[in-house]
Amino acid sequence: MDLFEALYTTRAMRRVKPDPIPADVQERILDAAVRAPSGGNTQGWRFLLVDDPAVKAELGPLYREGLGRLFDGHYKPMRERAEAAGDTQTLSVLKSAKHLADNFEAYPLLLFALTRNDPSGGSIFPSVWSAQLAARAFGVGSALTTVLGLFHGAAAMKILGVPEGKGWELACMVTFGYPTGRWGVAERKPVHEVSYRNRWGEPVGFEIPGPLWGPSAAPEA
């Protein structure tokens, strides 16, 4: 797969089939993860795959409770504004997030990324992104979420058997599965609207009205 195709089309894919992810694909996902940059090459990470229905059954209610808190709190004004403005894109994202919670136990593979001595996430998240890109190369969709760590990190780690008192923290969880929909380039604000040069607010020096890769990309000169 072309590198830029992977970069431009690896977005959150929460609607997936229950089909299992082959062992050789899982191997490539994790091997790519451990090749990512690590601050000081400390490699203070651990990756835990979950495909046991019994374990997922214990974690699912915790995830739904945590997301429910977000929907009743932080996400509530967002949803209300989107409903009032007819913002279908935001409403679609919220609906997709709820889909993940409602179907938690049906995802064929979950990846839990744990870290210690990495308060910024500067080492763990590049490794997780590498795992997601590797999955994309095999047509496997993924979605990263921090809900469990935010609301039920200790309980989730206990279910997962993570040793206590060793400094491990749950950075995130990633769902994996073969998508029911199509891959595509996600809509984003143009680069020049969110980027500066040298000082905040100063023009970045170029404008990119649309993605530089994909069907709508401008032809190279």
Side-chain angles (χ1 to χ4, degrees):
M1 173 178 287
D2 175 76
L3 173 61
F4 283 99
E5 180 179 0
L7 289 170
Y8 274 71
T9 62
T10 303
R11 55 193 179 92
M13 301 291 269
R14 300 183 182 91
R15 291 179 170 82
V16 302
K17 304 171 185 177
D19 304 27
I21 309 301
D24 62 329
V25 175
Q26 297 183 34
E27 291 174 2
R28 298 294 290 272
I29 288 172
L30 285 187
D31 193 53
V34 301
R35 308 301 162 188
S38 170
N41 196 30
T42 56
Q43 302 174 54
W45 51 39
R46 292 292 186 275
F47 304 97
L48 202 160
L49 294 176
V50 172
D51 54 12
D52 185 338
V55 178
K56 290 187 284 185
E58 289 189 74
L59 294 167
L62 296 180
Y63 189 90
R64 283 185 283 276
E65 196 280 337
L67 188 70
R69 287 200 220 177
L70 283 176
F71 269 78
D72 291 338
H74 180 73
Y75 288 168
K76 185 176 181 180
M78 182 192 306
R79 186 185 70 249
E80 292 175 344
R81 288 194 299 269
E83 289 173 343
D87 181 356
T88 57
Q89 184 174 5
T90 297
L91 292 174
S92 177
V93 171
L94 293 174
K95 184 177 180 181
S96 179
K98 190 172 185 303
H99 176 87
L100 192 160
D102 292 343
N103 295 274
F104 186 96
E105 292 85 352
Y107 286 90
L109 186 66
L110 308 176
L111 168 65
F112 290 86
L114 298 112
T115 183
R116 61 183 175 187
N117 302 320
D118 183 23
S120 70
S123 291
I124 193 64
F125 286 109
S127 68
V128 171
W129 181 232
S130 290
Q132 293 183 262
L133 287 172
R136 173 66 186 94
F138 290 94
V140 176
S142 62
L144 185 156
T145 171
T146 59
V147 170
L148 273 176
L150 285 173
F151 296 102
H152 296 293
M157 288 193 292
K158 185 175 181 179
I159 292 170
L160 296 170
V162 180
E164 296 183 12
K166 301 295 184 180
W168 292 108
E169 296 181 0
L170 178 56
C172 66
M173 181 194 81
V174 181
T175 61
F176 291 99
Y178 292 100
T180 58
R182 295 181 297 175
W183 299 98
V185 179
E187 292 186 14
R188 296 289 189 262
K189 293 180 180 179
V191 167
H192 56 274
E193 292 185 10
V194 298
S195 307
Y196 312 123
R197 188 184 298 274
N198 296 322
R199 293 183 183 278
W200 185 276
E202 293 296 319
V204 71
F206 47 76
E207 293 191 2
I208 307 175
L212 296 178
W213 181 94
S216 61
E220 294 184 6

